[in-house]
Structure formats: C-alpha cells, structure tokens
Amino acid sequence: MFSIPGGWEWIIIALIAFLIFGKRLPGIMKNAGRSIAEFRKGFKNVEEEISEVKEIKGNIDTITKFKIN
C-alpha cells in the first residue's frame, strides 16, 4: 500500500522537480500563485452575488408579505 510521503521524501521529490523543471520552476510557481489569487477573487465575487440575491429576495418577501422558497 502507498502512504503519504514524509519529510525526506518531500525533499527528494522537490529535488527531482527542480532537476526536471530547472529554470522554468520560478515561472511555474508565479503562474500557480496568480491562478490561486484569481480563483479566490472569483469565489469572493460569487459570494457577493449570492448575498445580493438574498437581500433582494428579502426585500421581495417584505414588500409582498409572501415567502418565496
């Protein structure tokens, strides 16, 4: 069975990755960081839109005195 790598295994994996990717590794990491930042920004926008929809729904419920599911 396989298990999660420990400390030394991660070091060996990092060294192999450095040997394979070499000079491209900083660019790859920079792009990965940008991707994560864009994902978080998009997720935050979705949360804001959901809260706006809930607010509008609450306003409709208040005006019409009906509950919308």
Side-chain angles (χ1 to χ4, degrees):
M1 276 286 146
F2 294 104
S3 64
I4 297 175
W8 283 106
E9 286 113 2
W10 282 115
I11 292 172
I12 292 170
I13 290 169
L15 287 173
I16 292 171
F18 182 72
L19 291 174
I20 292 173
F21 296 109
K23 294 179 182 178
R24 296 182 298 173
L25 193 58
I28 291 170
M29 299 310 285
K30 185 177 181 181
N31 288 334
R34 285 182 184 166
S35 298
I36 292 170
E38 285 294 321
F39 177 78
R40 287 183 180 170
K41 192 183 303 181
F43 191 74
K44 184 177 180 183
N45 289 340
V46 168
E47 287 179 335
E48 290 173 357
E49 287 184 25
I50 289 172
S51 66
E52 288 175 9
V53 168
K54 285 182 179 180
E55 182 180 336
I56 291 170
K57 179 190 169 293
N59 291 341
I60 291 172
D61 288 345
T62 303
I63 291 170
T64 61
K65 305 253 192 264
F66 293 114
K67 285 289 184 188
I68 300 174
N69 291 331

